[in-house]
């Protein structure tokens, strides 16, 4: 990004300032995020119970929608499972809804392998897809007992969250949670399975620079997709024509000019979305089992999209 090339003289550049142009609408959207009716509406009562199965086996008492609503409230309001059960029970009582709330053990058990119902906004035209990844902590207590009693420190672990962002709507159109050993290029094929829209432009950082990424994108979205990935400093020409043009443009006009001409600076939007995730949802995962962590990440992505649909801030630069 631009500040990396001007780090030695960053103090000589005035900091850009922006102002929100739709303050009333944006403030109301922020208020509505805390409205329980947004997350728990009366029309879900009919779908709360699980439909009768026609095959052999046990009958589920709660539908996947009921479990998803409970887990969504847990993610949005950052509640443990037992407090989630009590919270949903109180909401149902205040709304006068006659439903049986799943207990905390059922929420934990059904969270593994839960099918999340997608409700993304349909794209009327090909989108610009921006992809990036970040790390999420797996909470396993604090280090107080280790410092006090000199116990052996536990080996820390974390998960890697890969997200794909639609630049126009700000929605997370794809998300995938993996272990820390899975690279960005390796997770890309499965990440694209969640996208049900055509993609005309693809933006990513240098971690996605490779022929495997190009082959994956062209096989999924066609050979006409525009791929904007910065090549490394020591990059040389190869078989890919688009990458060769990027290498030549950087060598002739400089990397800063290439970023402005190609629109690569728009990739900052996915970094802002990652910051929003960690600010609103948190920088860690509550679930301990990897299968439940996957469901938690899916629920969190859907909740953030719901918040985005309520309203977004519109900015204009003043300095």
């Amino acid at each position: 990004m631009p500040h990396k090339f001007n780090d030695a003289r960053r103090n000589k550049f005035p900091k850009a300032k922006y102002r929100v142009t739709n303050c009333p609408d944006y403030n109301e959207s922020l208020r509505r995020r805390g409205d329980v009716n947004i997350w728990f509406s009366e029309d879900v009562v009919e779908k709360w119970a699980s439909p009768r199965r026609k095959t052999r086996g046990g009958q589920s008492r709660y539908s996947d929608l009921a479990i998803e609503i409970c887990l969504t409230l847990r993610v949005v309001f950052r509640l443990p499972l037992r407090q989630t059960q009590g919270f949903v029970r109180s909401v149902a009582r205040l709304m006068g809804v006659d439903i049986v709330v799943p207990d905390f053990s059922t929420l934990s058990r059904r969270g593994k392998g839960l099918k999340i119902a997608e409700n993304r906004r349909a794209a009327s035209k090909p989108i610009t897809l921006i992809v990036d990844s970040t790390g999420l902590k797996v909470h396993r207590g604090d280090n107080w007992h280790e410092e006090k009693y000199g116990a052996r420190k536990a080996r820390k672990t974390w998960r890697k969250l890969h997200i794909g962002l639609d630049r126009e709507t700000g929605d997370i159109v794809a998300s995938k949670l993996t272990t820390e050993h899975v690279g960005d290029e390796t997770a890309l094929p499965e990440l694209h399975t969640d996208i049900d829209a055509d993609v005309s432009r693809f933006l990513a950082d240098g971690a996605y620079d490779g022929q495997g990424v190009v082959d994956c994108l062209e096989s999924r979205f066609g050979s006409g997709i525009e791929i904007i990935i910065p090549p490394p400093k020591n990059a040389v020409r190869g078989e890919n024509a688009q990458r060769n043009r990027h290498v030549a443009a950087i060598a002739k006009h400089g990397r800063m000019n290439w970023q402005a001409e190609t629109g690569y600076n728009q990739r900052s939007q996915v970094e802002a979305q990652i910051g929003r995730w960690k600010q609103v949802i948190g920088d860690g995962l509550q679930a301990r089992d990897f299968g439940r962590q996957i469901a938690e990440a899916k629920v969190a992505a859907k909740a953030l999209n719901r918040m985005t649909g309520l309203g977004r801030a519109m900015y204009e630069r003043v300095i």
Side-chain angles (χ1 to χ4, degrees), residues 43-203:
D43 58 352
V44 304
V45 178
E46 301 177 356
K47 303 178 182 179
W48 190 264
S50 177
R52 297 291 301 179
R53 63 182 300 171
K54 299 180 180 180
T55 58
R56 300 177 62 180
Q59 171 64 35
S60 298
R61 190 174 186 180
Y62 311 100
S63 63
D64 287 344
L65 178 62
I67 303 299
E68 179 183 333
I69 291 174
C70 295
L71 294 181
T72 300
L73 291 173
R74 181 197 186 199
V75 167
V76 172
F77 297 102
R78 302 189 186 186
L79 300 172
L81 287 176
R82 289 173 175 81
Q83 282 83 335
T84 301
Q85 178 186 354
F87 182 72
V88 177
R89 188 168 55 191
S90 64
V91 171
R93 183 171 57 252
L94 292 174
M95 296 178 65
V97 178
D98 186 16
I99 57 174
V100 180
V101 179
D103 59 85
F104 63 91
S105 60
T106 301
L107 293 176
S108 176
R109 175 174 50 84
R110 291 283 301 275
K112 188 174 184 178
L114 180 67
K115 296 181 180 179
I116 309 298
E118 302 292 345
N119 60 348
R120 302 190 188 99
R121 289 174 283 183
S124 58
K125 59 181 181 179
I127 66 173
T128 297
L129 180 65
I130 313 176
V131 173
D132 203 358
S133 63
T134 186
L136 296 178
K137 295 185 292 186
V138 178
H139 294 292
R140 298 190 183 277
D142 54 28
N143 299 329
W144 174 82
H145 65 287
E146 300 169 357
E147 297 294 336
K148 182 175 179 62
Y149 299 107
R152 182 179 179 181
K153 292 187 176 181
R155 300 179 65 179
K156 299 295 182 180
T157 184
W158 52 282
R159 304 301 184 201
K160 199 169 186 179
L161 176 67
H162 309 260
I163 64 173
L165 182 74
D166 182 358
R167 191 185 71 85
E168 295 295 333
T169 63
D171 287 341
I172 299 175
V173 296
S175 64
K176 180 175 178 57
L177 190 73
T178 65
T179 62
E180 68 273 22
H181 306 294
V182 178
D184 295 339
E185 183 177 349
T186 306
L188 190 62
E190 293 189 18
L191 182 68
H192 284 165
T193 58
D194 294 342
I195 303 174
D196 54 2
D198 294 331
V199 177
S200 59
R201 299 176 71 232
F202 176 85
L203 278 73

Side-chain angles (χ1 to χ4, degrees), residues 208-229:
Y208 295 86
D209 180 53
Q211 188 60 37
V213 172
V214 176
D215 296 339
C216 174
L217 293 173
E218 291 184 349
S219 63
R220 176 67 172 82
F221 304 110
S223 58
I225 183 173
E226 182 182 3
I227 303 174
I228 303 175
I229 300 175

